[in-house]
Amino acid sequence: AIRYKWTEIKAVAEFYGAKVASAIDTSVDYIIAQKNAKAEDPEFQKGVDVGIPVIYEWELFRFLDNK
């Protein structure tokens, strides 16, 4: 089950200094994906194809919980 809403994930990322983009471009360092991220989503797949690391929501919050 998805634990967090996208608005919560975005707010936390921005709180820690991330700039959140809605599309993949050369400035993207990581893709933050919810558990149900679809490989057929064009933006998700584009990022994966160019080698941008994917961080799933549970990994992000586990990392932040340990700070």
Side-chain angles (χ1 to χ4, degrees), residues 4-58:
Y4 301 98
K5 295 178 184 172
W6 174 245
T7 54
E8 296 169 321
I9 296 168
K10 181 179 180 219
V12 168
E14 290 174 336
F15 176 80
Y16 282 95
K19 292 184 180 180
V20 179
S22 59
I24 299 297
D25 64 33
T26 58
S27 68
V28 173
D29 294 318
Y30 297 97
I31 298 171
I32 300 174
Q34 290 179 295
K35 185 177 181 178
N36 66 344
K38 304 282 187 200
E40 59 269 4
D41 176 352
E43 288 298 315
F44 180 82
Q45 192 58 50
K46 181 179 172 183
V48 171
D49 289 346
V50 298
I52 298 173
V54 177
I55 300 173
Y56 287 91
E57 66 175 80
W58 62 270

